[in-house]
Amino acid sequence: MTSYKELGLVNTRDMFAKAVKGGYAIPAYNFNNMEQLQAIIMACVETKSPVILQVSRGARDYANINLLRNMARGATEYAHELGYDIPIVLHLDHGNSFEVCKECIDNGFSSVMIDGSALPYDENVAVTKKVVEYAHQFDVTVEGELGVLAGIEDEVQSAVSHYTKPEDVIDFVSKTGVDSLAISIGTSHGANKFTPEQCKRNADGILIPPPLRFDILAEIEKQLPGFPIVLHGSSSVPQEFVKMINEHGGKLKDSVGIPEDQLRQASKSAVCKINIDSDGRLAMTGTIRRVLDEKPGEFDPRKYLGPAREALKQMYMHKNIDVLGSAGKA
Ligand code: G3H
Ligand code: 13P
Ligand code: ZN
């Protein structure tokens, strides 16, 4: 058993309390490899932002849990070396069983998500409560989820029954004891969130997707005043990187993400954690494609992973400063 405290990590409790009070959101960036982790830490130290390092089940399979734990330890030491000890959380993203959550808690994670959102309500309550009872013995914090995010193929506009039902949230939180709650108000996972046909054009010709359901968020906040709320599926799908990928041999579909001003608005509410993965994938892939296309003779991975890391760092800094408002809060 490794406690996250030995790794220099923190849980989400204080971080979320401050974020809710201060009207900003903590960035939760997914990582699977060293360059992504370096970019996240460099960006968050430079902007003095707290950060949540997210590990999905896929990342666990890809990178190995022992390596990931030690990378998180390295991240705390790296931040220190860069000159600023930002609070860092190591979080399991979309844990799907008690066993997976327990394994992560036993391996130094300071926060876990148990995603029972696809289960019948009572089963979601039961498994979430079981994870909370185990996690809290070690001061690890737990995120639960109510409502189902639209998948890539779903018609977001018509998926009304997937939205979180505000009338359920008090019951769920009090029965399970979760520390934060992920909700569904119109975001969705992946790079293909909205097709151009689902959007309207503004005066500048920019495609604007259907707005998030801020009315549902407001109702949830009324039911649970000050309780930490989490938004998944919050990539904005930067068009510059979609273009870069397609101009250098890629073939991505036209797609629109969550507009930054809507995320900015959400960050000012009880939304205190915003999950971003796809935008990092787009920035990294676009940059690697561009470099390899422009320099076909290049075969040193550092020559394309280095620029990709720099593009990621710039993007994360922009999000911390201009979108989430977490810059300067560490
Ligand atoms: O919410 C899901 C994350 O984007 C992680 O995706 O399971 O492919 O690592 P992944
Ligand atoms: P995106 O696919 O919008 O980046 O969402 C990531 C996420 O929710 C991770 O849990
Ligand atoms: Zn998610």
Side-chain angles (χ1 to χ4, degrees):
M1 170 102 197
T2 307
S3 164
Y4 66 86
K5 293 172 189 166
E6 295 165 38
L7 307 178
L9 301 164
V10 297
N11 68 21
T12 58
R13 199 165 290 122
D14 275 7
M15 209 182 247
F16 284 174
K18 287 182 190 154
V20 171
K21 233 172 147 189
Y24 60 93
I26 311 288
Y29 297 133
N30 290 69
F31 81 102
N32 302 266
N33 63 35
M34 184 187 74
E35 285 77 9
Q36 290 171 324
L37 183 59
Q38 287 175 315
I40 295 167
I41 296 300
M42 288 190 283
C44 292
V45 166
E46 210 158 310
T47 56
K48 293 192 165 57
S49 170
V51 69
I52 297 172
L53 302 173
Q54 288 204 140
V55 170
S56 69
R57 280 179 286 123
R60 255 176 18 127
D61 293 343
Y62 178 78
N64 178 278
I65 194 162
N66 289 316
L67 270 177
L68 289 165
R69 178 184 65 240
N70 284 296
M71 285 168 82
R73 182 204 304 268
T76 63
E77 292 175 7
Y78 183 41
H80 184 75
E81 188 188 315
L82 290 175
Y84 204 78
D85 288 312
I86 53 171
I88 301 176
V89 169
L90 180 63
H91 174 79
L92 168 67
D93 193 23
H94 293 284
N96 63 341
S97 68
F98 171 76
E99 289 71 27
V100 167
C101 292
K102 179 179 182 303
E103 190 200 5
C104 288
I105 293 164
D106 294 350
N107 273 281
F109 282 56
S110 58
S111 173
V112 292
M113 174 190 195
I114 172 69
D115 182 357
S117 62
L119 298 171
Y121 181 80
D122 289 343
E123 288 176 37
N124 187 3
V125 168
V127 71
T128 305
K129 185 168 187 279
K130 191 172 172 189
V131 170
V132 169
E133 281 169 0
Y134 186 74
H136 281 183
Q137 293 176 61
F138 307 101
D139 209 17
V140 168
T141 40
V142 180
E143 174 184 326
E145 177 162 339
L146 262 188
V148 179
L149 258 68
I152 298 167
E153 305 304 329
D154 281 354
E155 285 291 313
V156 173
Q157 278 164 300
S158 63
V160 177
S161 61
H162 291 190
Y163 294 138
T164 305
K165 295 189 192 126
E167 61 272 26
D168 287 343
V169 297
I170 293 182
D171 187 67
F172 186 80
V173 166
S174 57
K175 280 186 178 153
T176 59
V178 279
D179 301 282
S180 60
L181 182 67
I183 61 165
S184 172
I185 57 166
T187 62
S188 58
H189 287 114
N192 298 305
K193 299 190 192 303
F194 303 98
T195 63
E197 293 71 39
Q198 288 175 300
C199 302
K200 290 189 177 136
R201 272 189 202 281
N202 71 9
D204 300 323
I206 311 262
L207 289 166
I208 309 294
L212 296 179
R213 291 291 303 270
F214 283 101
D215 55 325
I216 297 178
L217 174 59
E219 194 49 46
I220 291 170
E221 285 193 77
K222 215 192 282 174
Q223 301 290 326
L224 295 172
F227 190 79
I229 299 297
V230 177
L231 278 192
H232 282 247
S234 298
S235 278
S236 297
V237 190
Q239 295 302 300
E240 60 180 296
F241 292 121
V242 174
K243 204 166 157 240
M244 198 182 283
I245 289 173
N246 288 340
E247 278 177 0
H248 296 284
K251 217 170 186 182
L252 291 185
K253 282 193 264 185
D254 283 344
S255 176
V256 177
I258 311 298
E260 291 185 344
D261 60 341
Q262 292 191 34
L263 295 172
R264 184 78 211 93
Q265 185 181 339
S267 302
K268 290 179 182 161
S269 72
V271 169
C272 62
K273 170 175 180 272
I274 290 196
N275 286 13
I276 296 168
D277 185 1
S278 298
D279 284 356
R281 298 176 181 201
L282 292 167
M284 191 157 200
T285 302
T287 309
I288 291 172
R289 277 192 176 278
R290 180 180 57 73
V291 174
L292 291 179
D293 196 17
E294 287 171 358
K295 299 178 183 167
E298 192 53 73
F299 68 100
D300 177 347
R302 292 170 299 188
K303 296 286 164 40
Y304 51 87
L305 292 175
R309 181 176 65 191
E310 181 59 24
L312 276 175
K313 178 189 165 191
Q314 295 304 326
M315 187 187 75
Y316 292 139
M317 286 180 64
H318 161 67
K319 287 184 187 290
N320 293 351
I321 296 167
D322 303 315
V323 185
L324 309 185
S326 63
K329 306 296 185 185

